[in-house]
Amino acid sequence: MADIQIPEIKERIEIPNIKTGATADYKCYPASEAHMTKLGFPSKLVDNWKEKLIEKMAELLKKYRSLQVYLDICVKCGSCTDKCHYYLGTADPNNMPVARQELMRKIYRKYFTPTGKLLGKLVNAEELTEDTLKEWYTYFHQCSQCRRCSVFCPYGIDTAEISMAARELMDAIGMGQKYSNEIIAKVEETGNNLGIPGPALRSTLDFLEEDVKDTTGVDVKFPMDVVGAEVLLIAPSADFFSTPHVESLVGYAKVFHQAGISWTVSSYASEFANFGIFIGNYSHMQKIASRIREQALALKVKRIVVGECGHAWRVGYSFWNTLIGPFDFLDPKYPAPQHICELSYDLINRGALKLDKSANDEFTVTFHDSCNVARASRMGKKPGGQFEIPRALIKATCNKFVDMAEHTIKERTFCCGGGGGLLTDELMELRVKGAMPRVQALKEVIDSHNVNFLALICAICKAQFSKVLPYYKMPMEMVGGVHQLISKAIVLGAKE
Amino acid sequence: MGAALRVAGEALFFSSLFKGNKWTWIGGYAFHAAFLVVILRHLRYFLNPIPEPIALIQPLGIYAGLVLPATAAYLFIRRLIVDRTRYISSIVEDYVLLLLIISIALSGLLLKFVTRPDLINIKAYMLSLMLFRPTTIPLDPIFLIHLSLVLILLIYFPYSKLMHAGGIFFSPTRNQADNPREKRLIAPWAEIKEKQ
């Protein structure tokens, strides 16, 4: 903790003057040769990496209209320059979204556009060198793919898309990142990011059953691998083993119990997270997701419901139908996988759950919109449901709720600072500084309303804030899930 | 439908830029609006007879002709003095392009307010150009400069960031409907992969 310079929290978020190279030495560990090989990438930097990279870039430009358009149409208006939490927290100009894009765009110009070939530096076109590659590795691993910049771009240029492509390109020449690639290798082998085997999962679930029985006196089940259950629950594996994540898992179980919905988790597909998206790799995204389809079929479930996880909800909502659809085997009443918040919201609206708000009276709650839920997916039938539904759930479970400042929530929400494959210890300084804008907004409501509970629906946000808030002298205990609040407020056995 | 409205909002009102930066929005919006009016005003040199609406906007076009270089200069200066935009600007794509547009506007204003060339002659020449049967070019020096600069801009247009004019309609962030649950979207290359 000592050697990290913690940003000062001011009255409002100030736009810093640029400090060139401020984060140039932040480096994440390279992927091991074993993991690279497992994922089908070259184990280390290939000799002809230049040709390889350009060749792969041509392929991606052809495959992804988004990439081609985004590289072509930026006018450098500057609207995005002060929108990235990493820029606001570090002042490194390469963390301005447009400058991050330029790292790829200057290579694109040199090798793919007539003006770049002809005019070179005059139009910011540059030869691909080892220095470029180093810059890429550094700064494309300082983007959490939160898409905040794209909200303010007049052309909707999405830096996430560009950083995903950059990571895909680097993987293709043997320059992978340890954190994401190790996890992808693990989930493809074991079914979850943590590498937990079935029996260990079962004993955790047993422990939770006993624990809930002890505290409530009610037999709430945590079923696993039950054929013929109505719902297959796909939760981020952190929900089984991390704090405060597990409190939300208990919440899901209580909701199912109280609504009388039979459900099960799967030991084979025990992971909702899908880090394939972080490295922009379609095949791995598909491979990771395919276990879920297999298990839904094998367990003969009628519905798929997913837990609190941000990027995974983007994958689940936006890409599952493409990757592992069609879901024609599900109950036609619930033809698409649902978010647990959607399920609980429906139940509450139908009066199927009894909630005692006073159980959460010790809390004044605020809600952090997780980036991938807020800007890359939806909940419910109406636009903006991803903002309204979690807030409606919180308001149904507690008496005191207050939103943070308008320019820091909903579609303008700030990233927690740890998303997009950056939730790794060697990037702690980046994570602490990147959290600054969110912490600033949080501090405002702590000072004005005594907020003491930060409600989340993302496993990464939960882990990141638990770790980072103490740097800002805020208690990690204030971090929790939306279903953690439901878990406390739900009245069990009260159904007539 | 929602997506169409979204794209229209971006194209007509620069709605995301408005969210992002009010100062850039004011300058950028006035610049683009003025440019549009100036171009419409110039249609009178290419159409015979002059359509009623084009005749009507002629006085407005003069004001737009004044706003155009003023806002371009404003955008140029803003680009230069804000450290973040200075960092991301490139010589040709950003500064030279703006200077080119300012020069076009100023040479046009000179033609209007100072040198007063033979407009009948110029219009006859433009009409002949449109039919690919050019007559002798009018040898007014300011007119020649004005026309040459416009031609340079048009030649550079398809290779430059000016393509944002069309590109905005292709941006997937804005033009896609929010329907991935209802509709299974699959790229042609992914479909091939799936069948293997």
Side-chain angles (χ1 to χ4, degrees):
Chain A
M1 231 190 232
D3 49 348
I4 293 181
Q5 269 206 344
I6 299 148
E8 191 190 338
I9 299 299
K10 307 209 170 119
E11 288 280 295
R12 50 190 191 85
I13 301 162
E14 283 178 9
I15 303 162
N17 288 327
I18 60 174
K19 252 191 344 235
T20 306
T23 66
D25 58 345
Y26 294 8
K27 282 278 184 306
C28 43
Y29 298 142
S32 73
E33 296 192 8
H35 290 132
M36 291 296 277
T37 310
K38 243 182 220 168
L39 266 50
F41 302 133
S43 63
K44 52 177 192 261
L45 191 64
V46 293
D47 291 332
N48 59 339
W49 57 270
K50 236 181 238 185
E51 296 86 70
K52 264 272 184 266
L53 192 144
I54 300 300
E55 201 178 287
K56 184 78 183 175
M57 198 164 170
E59 182 198 318
L60 294 190
L61 286 166
K62 223 176 182 171
K63 273 164 85 171
Y64 303 128
R65 167 177 60 127
S66 52
L67 186 64
Q68 174 83 57
V69 172
Y70 297 154
L71 290 178
D72 275 331
I73 62 175
C74 176
V75 297
K76 317 267 192 65
C77 71
S79 180
C80 65
T81 53
D82 54 353
K83 303 301 187 290
C84 176
H85 52 290
Y86 290 126
Y87 175 71
L88 294 171
T90 68
D92 190 307
N94 278 330
N95 281 331
M96 299 189 292
V98 49
R100 199 185 312 282
Q101 298 157 16
E102 276 303 291
L103 296 176
M104 181 178 289
R105 215 174 262 128
K106 64 188 184 186
I107 305 303
Y108 166 72
R109 288 200 193 92
K110 184 76 196 172
Y111 295 88
F112 295 94
T113 72
T115 44
K117 285 176 191 166
L118 202 70
L119 299 173
K121 288 250 180 208
L122 289 175
V123 290
N124 279 10
E126 257 176 53
E127 198 89 33
L128 180 59
T129 64
E130 251 165 75
D131 286 339
T132 329
L133 212 51
K134 268 186 213 149
E135 267 183 337
W136 276 34
Y137 191 80
T138 305
Y139 291 106
F140 285 120
H141 289 116
Q142 293 189 25
C143 168
S144 59
Q145 306 175 340
C146 82
R147 312 179 83 226
R148 186 169 196 265
C149 49
S150 77
V151 170
F152 301 95
C153 173
Y155 307 102
I157 297 172
D158 184 357
T159 314
E161 207 79 14
I162 293 175
S163 84
M164 285 169 192
R167 294 183 193 178
E168 166 92 323
L169 292 172
M170 289 188 284
D171 273 327
I173 58 167
M175 258 184 104
Q177 180 224 28
K178 177 172 185 268
Y179 178 68
S180 295
N181 289 7
E182 188 176 313
I183 281 176
I184 293 169
K186 214 177 275 173
V187 67
E188 288 179 356
E189 207 170 287
T190 66
N192 60 65
N193 287 0
L194 304 172
I196 313 156
L201 184 56
R202 185 60 257 171
S203 66
T204 304
L205 297 173
D206 287 341
F207 168 79
L208 290 173
E209 279 178 8
E210 280 167 34
D211 194 50
V212 175
K213 172 90 180 167
D214 285 349
T215 47
T216 66
V218 181
D219 275 313
V220 174
K221 292 289 168 210
F222 287 75
M224 184 175 99
D225 297 334
V226 177
V227 180
E230 190 181 343
V231 166
L232 171 62
L233 175 80
I234 303 291
S237 59
D239 282 6
F240 301 118
F241 284 91
S242 303
T243 312
H245 307 62
V246 70
E247 304 296 340
S248 282
L249 179 68
V250 173
Y252 318 153
K254 288 181 180 172
V255 168
F256 286 128
H257 173 90
Q258 198 54 22
I261 299 169
S262 71
W263 65 290
T264 184
V265 298
S266 154
S267 61
Y268 176 77
S270 44
E271 184 61 75
F272 182 30
N274 191 327
F275 282 23
I277 192 173
F278 296 156
I279 62 165
N281 190 290
Y282 189 92
S283 301
H284 285 293
M285 269 171 79
Q286 193 161 40
K287 196 168 171 193
I288 294 166
S290 62
R291 279 180 177 253
I292 293 155
R293 182 189 175 88
E294 281 171 42
Q295 278 299 283
L297 288 167
L299 297 173
K300 301 188 169 54
V301 297
K302 297 194 191 71
R303 301 164 68 175
I304 299 173
V305 174
V306 304
E308 297 176 350
C309 186
H311 81 281
W313 179 237
R314 178 180 191 188
V315 179
Y317 175 86
S318 300
F319 306 134
W320 268 3
N321 200 5
T322 296
L323 294 169
I324 55 169
F327 291 105
D328 43 11
F329 56 90
L330 294 177
D331 180 349
K333 274 198 290 182
Y334 306 100
Q338 276 184 299
H339 197 285
I340 186 74
C341 287
E342 293 178 311
L343 178 127
S344 297
Y345 180 71
D346 284 347
L347 290 170
I348 290 172
N349 279 349
R350 283 196 273 132
L353 302 179
K354 196 174 169 199
L355 297 160
D356 172 17
K357 291 188 191 191
S358 67
N360 283 316
D361 269 351
E362 58 182 304
F363 297 131
T364 304
V365 182
T366 194
F367 178 65
H368 161 80
D369 292 276
S370 295
C371 47
N372 274 298
V373 178
R375 286 186 284 264
S377 51
R378 203 184 72 207
M379 284 182 200
K381 294 208 164 53
K382 284 186 235 141
Q386 73 273 34
F387 309 132
E388 302 316 320
I389 289 175
R391 284 178 172 77
L393 292 179
I394 295 169
K395 286 176 191 161
T397 55
C398 71
N399 285 311
K400 289 173 285 180
F401 172 77
V402 54
D403 254 321
M404 287 179 276
E406 194 58 37
H407 65 281
T408 72
I409 58 169
K410 301 186 178 171
E411 69 165 8
R412 302 177 196 208
T413 188
F414 277 106
C415 172
C416 64
L422 308 183
L423 192 75
T424 176
D425 284 348
E426 71 268 24
L427 291 178
M428 191 50 80
E429 184 154 4
L430 180 77
R431 287 166 53 190
V432 169
K433 290 180 174 170
M436 183 277 282
R438 169 47 74 227
V439 171
Q440 196 279 342
L442 178 61
K443 186 164 185 302
E444 263 176 48
V445 288
I446 291 177
D447 292 347
S448 63
H449 291 83
N450 298 317
V451 163
N452 59 0
F453 193 95
L454 177 63
L456 304 165
I457 48 170
C458 170
I460 288 178
C461 292
K462 289 172 192 170
Q464 158 77 353
F465 284 126
S466 299
K467 198 88 182 242
V468 160
L469 288 187
Y471 284 89
Y472 291 97
K473 312 235 175 326
M474 293 176 181
M476 66 185 283
E477 292 75 24
M478 74 181 296
V479 177
V482 167
H483 276 78
Q484 181 175 342
L485 293 170
I486 294 181
S487 174
K488 280 196 80 177
I490 196 166
V491 182
L492 293 174
K495 223 169 155 187
E496 53 286 339
Chain B
M1 189 53 203
L5 282 178
R6 190 160 57 224
V7 174
E10 296 294 347
L12 297 175
F13 304 109
F14 305 0
S15 43
S16 291
L17 181 59
F18 185 77
K19 268 186 248 173
N21 189 313
K22 302 282 185 285
W23 291 108
T24 310
W25 183 85
I26 289 170
Y29 199 79
F31 171 80
H32 282 82
F35 213 143
L36 178 68
V37 175
V38 166
I39 290 169
L40 289 176
R41 179 178 185 272
H42 278 69
L43 286 180
R44 72 166 175 149
Y45 302 116
F46 301 88
L47 300 170
N48 207 18
I50 298 166
E52 188 75 3
I54 302 299
L56 273 175
I57 61 158
Q58 291 303 312
L60 188 65
I62 310 274
Y63 292 113
L66 295 167
V67 172
L68 181 63
T71 49
Y74 166 81
L75 292 173
F76 187 98
I77 292 165
R78 182 200 62 101
R79 195 172 273 292
L80 208 62
I81 58 171
V82 177
D83 68 339
R84 302 189 309 280
T85 47
R86 186 169 64 237
Y87 182 88
I88 59 173
S89 298
S90 80
I91 297 170
V92 171
E93 282 271 270
D94 300 306
Y95 296 117
V96 174
L97 210 48
L98 275 172
L99 286 178
L100 181 61
I101 291 169
I102 292 171
S103 313
I104 289 171
L106 292 180
S107 58
L109 289 173
L110 274 181
L111 288 171
K112 174 70 200 166
F113 293 109
V114 185
T115 65
R116 295 305 216 141
D118 181 354
L119 283 183
I120 294 170
N121 204 358
I122 286 176
K123 175 152 185 180
Y125 174 69
M126 295 318 293
L127 287 173
S128 75
L129 262 188
M130 306 261 293
L131 298 167
F132 294 103
R133 285 198 302 266
T135 54
T136 10
I137 190 161
L139 287 175
D140 182 287
I142 306 289
F143 168 69
L144 288 177
I145 289 170
H146 186 63
L147 182 65
S148 310
L149 293 174
V150 170
L151 291 178
I152 291 171
L153 185 71
L154 288 178
I155 292 167
Y156 187 50
F157 195 100
Y159 305 106
S160 71
K161 74 168 190 181
L162 295 171
M163 284 307 283
H164 70 275
I168 182 168
F169 300 100
F170 295 97
S171 176
T173 325
R174 300 284 184 257
N175 72 6
Q176 294 194 130
D178 177 11
N179 63 354
R181 280 174 150 178
E182 295 79 22
K183 207 170 157 214
R184 187 160 187 251
L185 307 150
I186 186 152
W189 55 263
E191 212 168 0
I192 295 166
K193 201 168 155 253
E194 202 155 284
K195 287 192 182 123
Q196 278 164 3

